[in-house]
Each structure stands twice: as structure tokens, then as C-alpha cells.
Amino acid sequence: MGGSAFKDKRPVYLNLFKIRLPVAAVVSLAHRLSGILMFLAMPFIVYLLDLSVQSSAGFEQAMTLLQHPLLLAVQILLVWALAHHLFSGIRFLLIDADLGVDRQAANYSAWLVIALSVLTTVIVSLGLLL
Amino acid sequence: MSLYILEGLKPWVIQRVSAVYIALFLFYSLYCGMNVEIVSYTHWRGWLFHPFNSIAFGIFVVAVLFHAWIGMRDVILDYVHDIMLRLFFLALVMGVLVGSGLWVIRILLFSMVE
């Protein structure tokens, strides 16, 4: 962190409409966002796990809780988070292994990650809602 | 000044090894779940407290805790620059993870006997 040693006098240009993130950056950012979302959900998921194994009544209570409209919305969000985190994680591991590093392949796989995670979310959501 | 926690434990490697285990466990659970028509209380307990699944799940939880710690730590170190705020958020994350981990240990140890 620069602090007072750097008195930066350069003009700051921050027009958000002029900044276009490449799709790989969007995937990377969404990887972080989805990770944070799942971290925030963790205590509640452990609570549901506890409830579901305590007793037959607790299991039913957990199942009823999951039917609540608000929690259905949260589940759909978390399904997206898990799917995106998983698919983009696999993409990062492949890039670590030197697979698909060139720009064209990286762009293609980034779009593939977005498509697969949205598709998974839609399929699982239909299963949850129907 | 910055905080380098877990620096000596090669977090980069831990993050990737835990990621692979988490993915494998998720695919295994999904496979098990797809072979069941309706999930009942007895089925669910039977699956989770089966010795193999209990151990696999226990390792999964440890992997998730390490993975989440390194991930959240990286995000905090990237975006929170104030040292006190940074300490605050790191402690908060650590508290949530340790709390969740102890809770799961309690579930696995004490809920096994009905």
C-alpha cells in the first residue's frame, strides 16, 4: 500500500461505461462472488444438516423450511454459486495445467463456464420448483 | 504492512488439492442422490452415517474449511487495506469457519446414535 510516500498527481479516469471487462475477468470475478456467497450460507447449511439428522420431526422441519419461497430463491442463488464456482474452478485448474491458456481457448472456455452454470441453475431450479 | 497467514503452508497447493477433493466428493454425492427415488429421514441418516460416507464427508468438511479460509483470506487481503478492518474481517471469517467446523464434528459424533 503506497500511502503518503506516493503523492499521485496523475488524472484518474474512471468512467464505468467505458470500461469493458473481458469475459475471463467476469468469470474470475463471479468465482470470487460465488465463493463469498457460499461462505455466508455455510452456518445455515450446517444448521439444516444438524436439524435433518436430529430426529424424524427435525428432518420434516428442515424439508418444510426449504419449501419457503424466500429460501427457494436463496437455494437457486446458491445452486448458481456452486455450479459457477465448480465449473470455473475446473477451468482454472485446467489453465494451471497449461490447458487452454491462449486467448481464444480461454475466451471460449469462459463462455462455456457461464453457459454451463446458467444451464445447471435452470435445470435444478425447475426441479426445485416443480 | 500486510498479514501473511498460512504463508509457510503453501496455500496455493492446499487450495487446489482441496478443490479436487471437494469436486470429487460432490460428484460422488450427486451420483448417490440420483439413485434414490425419495429421500427419507432413514435413508438420509443411513447414507450420512455409513462408515465410508462419514469419513468421506468428514474429509470433505475439512477440505471446505481450508478452501474457504484461503479463498476468503485472499479476497480480504485484496480488497480490505486498513489493517484493523483487515484483522477484524479475518477474525470474523476464522470464527465462522471454526464454529461451523466444531458444529459438524458435534453432529458427526453425537447424532450417530439416535
Side-chain angles (χ1 to χ4, degrees):
Chain A
M1 279 108 267
S4 52
F6 289 90
K7 273 272 183 262
D8 207 329
K9 289 277 169 60
R10 288 176 298 180
V12 175
Y13 181 72
L14 195 67
N15 184 348
L16 291 177
F17 296 101
K18 290 278 170 72
I19 297 174
R20 270 196 66 230
L21 282 178
V23 63
V26 174
V27 166
S28 174
L29 217 71
H31 188 77
R32 292 198 150 188
L33 180 70
S34 55
I36 294 168
L37 284 175
M38 288 188 287
F39 166 78
L40 293 176
M42 196 186 288
F44 187 70
I45 292 169
V46 177
Y47 166 72
L48 280 179
L49 173 73
D50 196 3
L51 197 61
S52 72
V53 294
Q54 283 302 322
S55 62
S56 184
F59 182 83
E60 293 307 323
Q61 202 186 328
M63 287 298 143
T64 317
L65 261 175
L66 290 175
Q67 295 300 313
H68 189 280
L70 185 73
L71 286 187
L72 275 173
V74 173
Q75 282 172 83
I76 291 170
L77 187 67
L78 286 174
V79 167
W80 170 79
L82 180 62
H84 182 91
H85 207 82
L86 184 66
F87 291 133
S88 55
I90 292 171
R91 176 176 174 272
F92 293 142
L93 284 177
L94 290 176
I95 290 175
D96 282 344
D98 249 359
L99 290 163
V101 181
D102 66 278
R103 187 186 295 205
Q104 202 183 352
N107 265 338
Y108 173 74
S109 61
W111 280 113
L112 188 67
V113 163
I114 292 173
L116 279 177
S117 49
V118 170
L119 187 70
T120 308
T121 310
V122 170
I123 292 172
V124 177
S125 301
L126 287 176
L128 283 173
L129 298 172
L130 299 178
Chain B
M1 188 188 169
S2 53
L3 292 163
Y4 292 109
I5 294 170
L6 269 179
E7 176 73 7
L9 283 176
K10 305 264 185 282
W12 189 88
V13 175
I14 297 174
Q15 196 66 335
R16 275 141 190 88
V17 172
S18 59
V20 170
Y21 183 84
I22 291 166
L24 290 176
F25 180 82
L26 286 177
F27 287 128
Y28 166 70
S29 316
L30 197 67
Y31 170 75
C32 293
M34 289 208 298
N35 290 330
V36 182
E37 301 264 307
I38 305 156
V39 182
S40 71
Y41 172 64
T42 330
H43 265 105
W44 169 229
R45 278 188 59 104
W47 185 84
L48 189 67
F49 295 124
H50 182 282
F52 179 83
N53 293 338
S54 278
I55 293 166
F57 177 70
I59 299 170
F60 166 75
V61 170
V62 173
V64 167
L65 292 178
F66 273 95
H67 194 86
W69 167 249
I70 295 166
M72 291 301 290
R73 182 202 67 149
D74 286 351
V75 169
I76 291 167
L77 293 184
D78 276 353
Y79 301 124
V80 184
H81 298 307
D82 181 83
I83 198 77
M84 288 316 285
L85 263 181
R86 197 180 257 194
L87 267 174
F88 170 75
F89 279 115
L90 287 172
L92 196 69
V93 167
M94 190 52 106
V96 169
L97 293 177
V98 170
S100 302
L102 291 173
W103 197 353
V104 172
I105 290 173
R106 184 174 164 273
I107 295 169
L108 283 180
L109 289 182
F110 299 111
S111 299
M112 207 168 299
V113 186
E114 231 173 321

